[in-house]
Amino acid sequence: MSHDGAVTPAARTAPAPAADPPAPLTPPVDRPSPEDERFGPDGEPLDPRAIARASLAADRNWSLWVIAGAVLFCVALSLAAGTPTGALALACFLACCAVVRAVVRKSPASLVVRRRAVDVTVLAGLALAIGVLSQVVPSL
């Protein structure tokens, strides 16, 4: 305001003071930042030697080799005998994987992704979808 009581333009456009943000209801948790590679997702410290041993042991997992071989077999079969045959073989393999995951107590490592019910549902659904599509979709 000026000395005569009139409001100046600068006084009209002045921003209002910012209000303080509300205080959090729960105290902040001391967790390491996600960029910190020395800690896992739950905040536990990681051992680089254990990680290296686990990655080297992955090539010795027989279930990974069986699944990779079955997929390669289905691709080769589809090239040799036609796409519907190879897709039907892949659907049968997925159905077998669903049964193994549902029945075997300690399932092969490459079939264990989530809970047992979710894994069986996804594998069986894929087997059914690929099996139906292999017979319905016309091949060129």
Side-chain angles (χ1 to χ4, degrees), residues 84-85 87-88 130-138:
T85 306
L88 194 58
I130 292 174
V132 168
L133 288 174
S134 72
Q135 300 305 307
V136 173
V137 176

Side-chain angles (χ1 to χ4, degrees), residues 61-75 90 93 110:
N61 189 340
W62 62 270
S63 63
L64 292 172
W65 289 105
V66 169
I67 289 178
V71 170
L72 285 175
F73 172 76
C74 291
V75 169
L90 180 62
F93 177 69
S110 53

Side-chain angles (χ1 to χ4, degrees), residues 4-87:
D4 60 354
V7 177
T8 61
R12 276 188 241 136
T13 60
D20 291 336
L25 298 176
T26 58
V29 179
D30 256 352
R31 288 194 176 171
S33 67
E35 294 83 25
D36 195 355
E37 296 177 1
R38 296 175 297 158
F39 297 95
D42 296 327
E44 76 279 357
L46 295 177
D47 181 18
R49 293 171 295 196
I51 295 170
R53 281 191 297 272
S55 66
L56 290 174
D59 65 342
R60 289 176 282 211
N61 189 340
W62 62 270
S63 63
L64 292 172
W65 289 105
V66 169
I67 289 178
V71 170
L72 285 175
F73 172 76
C74 291
V75 169
L77 186 63
S78 68
L79 291 174
T83 306
T85 306

Side-chain angles (χ1 to χ4, degrees), residues 67-130:
I67 289 178
V71 170
L72 285 175
F73 172 76
C74 291
V75 169
L77 186 63
S78 68
L79 291 174
T83 306
T85 306
L88 194 58
L90 180 62
C92 291
F93 177 69
L94 287 170
C96 290
C97 288
V99 169
V100 167
R101 178 68 174 115
V103 174
V104 177
R105 184 85 171 136
K106 189 169 171 21
S107 298
S110 53
L111 294 181
V112 179
V113 179
R114 295 171 197 88
R115 290 179 307 149
R116 184 179 308 270
V118 175
D119 288 341
V120 171
T121 303
V122 168
L123 288 168
L126 283 172
L128 183 66
I130 292 174

